[in-house]
């Protein structure tokens, strides 16, 4: 990650230098395009590396970590627990309850010390080292902090940093969404409450680090799925079900059907009516026919437009993420989310680069400099011919690179203390 961050920074600066000079801006158009493509490739490699690190701890830290004590003892219908002591729980009152009216209140479930109803039931922070090292949302936020620290240390443009974080948040949202929907043990009311509180820890991390709140918008499908699970058993009336599904506009019928089929009811928890189940099945069948029709029309459209493809440049402004139209407008008909999909990547414009690199405060930090030894070799190349010097420099660089090629990826040990202040990076052999 450190090496990729180093080269993203260098390539962005080189592109800035080429665009800043009027003569070079015209003479190096072809090379600017190649550098832009190279930037995108390095960006993808860096994101994949960060995703791999996060994926190792995502499920155990976000889905299996229990924030609220006592919910492990919840009994489910058809579950046998012979060797585990449990206590019966009284049935919750459900009179005069409207899921739609409480969607906003369920969104506000988070760790808070501002007089929240849930504040008294939170556990005290673990004291022993073993407890502190146990998987929790803090493991995920530590990795995010490490990634953000490396990107900022290498002076990567803020716009590229924001796109890296957007891609990581999109990946986490899709992976958590798919794991919850595909594993029956997570499809229950109590587990949805636990996971929602864990997600709020990531939201708090975004606010603490003063990052764009658009990152949280990537969690909207995940949050709506958790809201659906928390109020699933309260949709005993057909009209309430219809109204709730309209409010949760990012959950498509295929996902509704999966929840209806695999939802785990607690003992004495109210089941949804047969009429509601039939409505969900009919809605899913209608959507399946629509998906087949959409696929056929898409193939025909691709064939007719194959001869008139127009390549457009990517807009430098980031698109809004996670908000806006629901699944009906976006034709999001698949049951699972595509976590491998890459969001649009935009390279900062000349104006945005000038604002970051050309300000008076940083004017002296980003002045291009060629070492004297390189200038001597370039001058020698002008006399002897450029080809021999290029070959000499290439072989010299490859020899130096191969000496440092034996390091392992695990040598980059990035650790953060409890206050996220003292960060130690070991294994970095070069300098900026």
């Amino acid at each position: 990650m450190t090496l990729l961050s180093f080269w993203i920074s260098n390539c962005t600066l080189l592109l800035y230098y080429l665009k800043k000079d009027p003569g070079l801006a015209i003479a190096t158009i072809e090379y600017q395009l190649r550098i832009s493509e190279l930037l995108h490739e390095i960006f993808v490699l860096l994101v994949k590396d960060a995703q791999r690190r996060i994926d190792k701890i995502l499920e155990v830290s976000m889905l299996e970590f229990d924030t609220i004590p006592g919910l492990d003892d919840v009994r489910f219908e058809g579950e046998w627990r012979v060797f585990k002591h449990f206590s019966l729980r009284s049935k919750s009152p459900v009179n005069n309850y409207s899921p739609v009216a409480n969607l906003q209140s369920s969104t506000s479930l988070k760790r808070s010390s501002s007089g929240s109803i849930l504040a008294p039931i939170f556990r005290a922070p673990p004291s022993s080292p073993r407890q502190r090292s146990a998987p929790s949302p803090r493991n995920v936020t530590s990795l995010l902090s490490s990634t953000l620290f490396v990107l900022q240390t290498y002076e990567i443009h803020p716009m590229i940093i924001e796109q890296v974080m957007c891609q990581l948040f999109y990946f986490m949202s899709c992976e958590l969404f798919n794991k919850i929907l595909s594993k029956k043990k997570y499809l229950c009311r109590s587990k949805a409450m636990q996971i929602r509180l864990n997600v709020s820890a990531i939201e708090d991390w975004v606010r603490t680090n003063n990052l764009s709140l658009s990152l949280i918008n990537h969690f909207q499908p995940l949050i709506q799925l958790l809201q659906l699970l928390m109020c699933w058993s309260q949709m005993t009336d057909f009209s309430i079900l219809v109204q709730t599904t309209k409010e949760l506009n990012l959950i498509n019928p295929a996902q509704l059907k999966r929840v209806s089929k695999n939802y785990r009811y607690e003992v004495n928890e109210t089941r949804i009516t047969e009429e509601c189940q039939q409505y969900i099945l009919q809605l899913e069948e209608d959507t399946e026919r629509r998906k087949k029709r959409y696929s056929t029309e898409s193939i025909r459209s691709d064939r007719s437009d194959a001869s008139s493809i127009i390549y457009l440049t990517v807009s430098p402004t980031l698109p809004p993420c996670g908000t806006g139209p629901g699944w009906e407008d976006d034709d999001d008909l698949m049951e699972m989310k595509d976590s491998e999909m890459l969001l649009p990547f935009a390279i900062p414009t000349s104006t945005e680069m000038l604002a970051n690199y050309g300000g008076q405060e940083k004017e002296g930090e980003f002045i291009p400099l060629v070492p004297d030894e390189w200038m001597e070799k370039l001058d020698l190349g002008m006399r002897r011919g450029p080809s021999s010097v290029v070959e000499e420099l290439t072989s010299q660089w490859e020899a130096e690179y191969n000496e440092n090629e034996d390091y392992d990826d695990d040598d980059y040990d990035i650790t953060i203390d409890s206050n996220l202040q003292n960060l130690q990076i070991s294994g970095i052999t070069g300098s900026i």
Side-chain angles (χ1 to χ4, degrees), residues 112-247:
S112 175
S113 58
S114 58
S116 173
I117 297 177
L118 295 177
I121 63 177
F122 290 139
R123 288 194 181 108
S127 56
S128 67
R130 178 174 298 181
Q131 287 176 320
R132 287 197 297 269
S133 62
S136 69
R138 187 176 177 275
N139 295 84
V140 178
T141 56
S142 295
L143 275 178
L144 292 174
S145 297
S146 301
T147 303
L148 183 62
F149 173 79
V150 171
L151 299 178
Q152 293 175 343
T153 299
Y154 283 90
E155 299 284 354
I156 294 179
H157 195 279
M159 182 178 173
I160 297 181
I161 294 179
E162 183 179 352
Q163 293 180 89
V164 171
M165 301 310 297
C166 275
Q167 190 70 57
L168 294 181
F169 271 69
Y170 172 80
F171 169 80
M172 289 191 296
S173 176
C174 292
E175 283 293 314
L176 291 174
F177 188 97
N178 293 342
K179 291 180 186 298
I180 293 173
L181 204 61
S182 59
K183 296 186 178 181
K184 190 173 181 179
K185 64 178 180 178
Y186 300 132
L187 294 176
C188 60
R189 179 173 56 184
S190 56
K191 204 64 183 175
M193 294 176 61
Q194 300 274 22
I195 298 172
R196 180 64 186 95
L197 288 170
N198 295 340
V199 171
S200 69
I202 309 297
E203 297 173 336
D204 291 340
W205 178 87
V206 173
R207 299 184 182 94
T208 302
N209 288 273
N210 297 320
L211 299 177
S212 173
L213 295 181
S214 62
L215 295 175
I216 301 177
N217 290 335
H218 286 293
F219 283 154
Q220 287 305 310
L222 173 63
I223 292 174
Q224 288 196 11
L225 176 62
L226 296 175
Q227 289 174 344
L228 178 67
L229 294 174
M230 284 189 283
C231 67
W232 180 261
S233 59
Q234 310 301 332
M235 295 185 293
T236 55
D237 186 75
F238 177 74
S239 60
I240 296 179
L241 173 65
V242 174
Q243 188 178 357
T244 304
T245 53
K246 288 182 179 179
E247 290 288 334

Side-chain angles (χ1 to χ4, degrees), residues 182-362:
S182 59
K183 296 186 178 181
K184 190 173 181 179
K185 64 178 180 178
Y186 300 132
L187 294 176
C188 60
R189 179 173 56 184
S190 56
K191 204 64 183 175
M193 294 176 61
Q194 300 274 22
I195 298 172
R196 180 64 186 95
L197 288 170
N198 295 340
V199 171
S200 69
I202 309 297
E203 297 173 336
D204 291 340
W205 178 87
V206 173
R207 299 184 182 94
T208 302
N209 288 273
N210 297 320
L211 299 177
S212 173
L213 295 181
S214 62
L215 295 175
I216 301 177
N217 290 335
H218 286 293
F219 283 154
Q220 287 305 310
L222 173 63
I223 292 174
Q224 288 196 11
L225 176 62
L226 296 175
Q227 289 174 344
L228 178 67
L229 294 174
M230 284 189 283
C231 67
W232 180 261
S233 59
Q234 310 301 332
M235 295 185 293
T236 55
D237 186 75
F238 177 74
S239 60
I240 296 179
L241 173 65
V242 174
Q243 188 178 357
T244 304
T245 53
K246 288 182 179 179
E247 290 288 334
L248 303 177
N249 61 337
L250 299 179
I251 306 298
N252 64 38
Q255 295 155 358
L256 274 175
K257 180 182 177 182
R258 174 62 72 98
V259 174
S260 176
K261 179 181 178 181
N262 295 332
Y263 183 81
R264 298 172 66 202
Y265 288 92
E266 301 173 9
V267 174
N268 297 327
E269 185 178 4
T270 307
R271 287 180 169 270
I272 65 172
T273 62
E274 184 68 23
E275 182 184 13
C276 294
Q277 293 180 358
Q278 292 299 324
Y279 169 77
I280 294 174
L281 292 176
Q282 184 63 40
L283 190 62
E284 195 275 336
E285 291 176 0
D286 295 341
T287 307
E288 191 68 24
R289 287 193 294 267
R290 175 183 172 183
K291 182 168 63 175
K292 292 179 180 179
R293 184 173 66 252
Y294 175 78
S295 301
T296 305
E297 293 176 355
S298 178
I299 294 174
R300 292 175 181 174
S301 177
D302 292 341
R303 290 176 179 175
S304 61
D305 296 340
S307 59
S308 59
I309 298 177
I310 301 177
Y311 294 95
L312 301 176
T313 57
V314 180
S315 172
T317 57
L318 289 174
C321 43
T323 58
W327 65 269
E328 292 181 342
D329 297 320
D330 288 343
D331 289 313
D332 184 10
L333 308 177
M334 302 301 294
E335 184 178 350
M336 297 297 174
K337 301 288 185 180
D338 184 10
S339 61
E340 299 297 325
M341 185 187 74
L342 294 175
L343 301 177
F345 175 73
I347 295 176
T349 62
S350 300
T351 304
E352 291 167 334
M353 289 184 181
L354 183 63
N356 190 68
Y357 299 135
Q360 294 182 354
E361 298 179 356
K362 298 183 178 181

